[in-house]
């Protein structure tokens, strides 16, 4: 089944390392970690800790006592308390950070998962986050992203084919919302007056 995704195990002459593991029993976890380090070394997979943090949101929720709580995995750079963070279409300043053991930390480097507080809204799992230097720039970027998101939603909603339209009419929908672009020198009023003269359902 893995070969469908071009992942050929070493046993079959490929280059994909397969390690049978059990998190429940703790089987081969050490071997898995060794293999990950080996592959990272061979492929020279390195992250630069001396730059602005970038990573991914693993999960996020709204806690009634603490506000928005987000679990994030730092993939590159280092995240510090006080950093301004953009995640998807939400922005905020990191107020506090805890590691996987619940201990408070001041910074998180590459491959370090942390739970942070300080975002204005709950981001989506899978959103990419970036630490930025300027809060004003962050808010401008968020406004731009939200505008693009609304545009995409509008494009999706506006893709109505004639078949869809006739299908809706046959299902009993007798209302069609339209936007008439006209000048203010009487064209709009003329269209409205003529529409109101129609006596039938059309």
């Amino acid at each position: 089944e893995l070969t469908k995704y071009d992942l050929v195990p070493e046993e079959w002459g490929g280059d994909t390392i397969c390690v049978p593991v059990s998190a429940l029993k703790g089987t081969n976890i050490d071997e898995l970690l060794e293999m990950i380090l080996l592959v990272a070394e061979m492929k020279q997979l390195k992250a630069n800790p001396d730059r602005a943090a970038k990573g991914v949101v693993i999960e996020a929720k709204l806690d009634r006592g603490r506000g928005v709580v987000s679990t994030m995995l730092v993939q590159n750079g280092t995240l510090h308390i006080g950093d301004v963070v953009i995640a998807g279409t939400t922005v905020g300043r990191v107020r506090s950070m805890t590691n996987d053991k619940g201990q408070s930390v001041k910074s998180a480097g590459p491959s370090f998962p942390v739970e942070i507080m300080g975002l204005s809204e709950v981001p989506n799992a899978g959103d990419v986050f970036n630490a930025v230097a300027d809060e004003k720039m962050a808010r401008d970027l968020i406004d731009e992203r939200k505008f693009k998101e609304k545009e995409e939603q509008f494009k999706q909603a506006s893709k109505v084919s004639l078949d869809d339209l006739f299908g809706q009419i046959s299902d009993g929908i007798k209302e069609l919302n339209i936007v008439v672009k006209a000048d203010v020198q009487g064209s709009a009023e003329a269209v409205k007056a003529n529409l109101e003269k129609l006596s039938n359902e059309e």
Side-chain angles (χ1 to χ4, degrees):
E1 288 175 359
L2 288 171
T3 56
K4 286 192 294 187
Y5 306 99
D6 298 323
L7 297 170
V8 183
E10 287 181 322
E11 291 80 4
W12 290 13
D15 58 1
T16 303
I17 297 169
C18 292
V19 183
V21 297
S22 169
L24 195 64
K25 296 176 182 174
T27 310
N28 290 340
I29 301 297
D30 290 341
E31 189 183 335
L32 174 66
L33 293 171
E34 279 178 35
M35 292 301 111
I36 291 171
L37 289 172
L38 178 69
V39 171
E41 196 175 315
M42 286 170 59
K43 294 191 175 182
Q44 294 186 334
L45 303 176
K46 294 178 181 177
N48 178 11
D50 303 320
R51 51 163 287 180
K54 181 183 179 183
V56 68
V57 177
I58 299 170
E59 63 178 356
K61 61 184 177 184
L62 184 60
D63 189 293
R64 290 183 73 180
R66 300 186 294 166
V68 177
V69 179
S70 310
T71 304
M72 299 179 161
L73 177 66
V74 180
Q75 295 174 318
N76 209 345
T78 302
L79 185 65
H80 303 90
I81 287 179
D83 283 354
V84 177
V85 173
I86 300 176
T89 55
T90 185
V91 66
R93 190 178 290 275
V94 180
R95 288 199 323 261
S96 70
M97 235 178 346
T98 54
N99 63 16
D100 57 326
K101 296 178 179 69
Q103 299 164 335
S104 183
V105 291
K106 291 184 179 178
S107 63
S111 77
F112 203 86
V114 282
E115 193 176 72
I116 72 156
M117 287 188 289
L119 292 178
S120 57
E121 297 168 30
V122 180
N124 295 317
D127 279 351
V128 173
F129 80 83
N130 293 82
V132 291
D134 182 51
E135 195 163 354
K136 186 188 178 301
M137 182 191 78
R139 296 203 180 275
D140 291 344
L141 191 59
I142 288 299
D143 290 341
E144 192 179 311
R145 285 183 184 180
K146 282 184 176 176
F147 178 73
K148 282 182 182 175
E149 201 175 73
K150 281 181 184 173
E151 258 189 346
E152 285 299 316
Q153 287 172 355
F154 179 73
K155 281 179 188 173
Q156 292 298 323
S158 63
K159 287 179 183 173
V160 179
S161 68
L162 279 175
D163 291 336
D164 293 339
L165 191 58
F166 289 131
Q168 287 178 5
I169 291 168
S170 65
D171 288 342
I173 297 171
K174 299 192 188 286
E175 188 175 310
L176 176 63
N177 295 322
I178 61 169
V179 176
V180 178
K181 290 178 84 173
D183 60 53
V184 292
Q185 302 298 322
S187 299
E189 287 78 9
V191 170
K192 185 181 175 188
N194 282 310
L195 284 171
E196 285 173 346
K197 285 178 191 173
L198 294 173
S199 59
N200 59 24
E201 286 183 355
E202 292 175 3

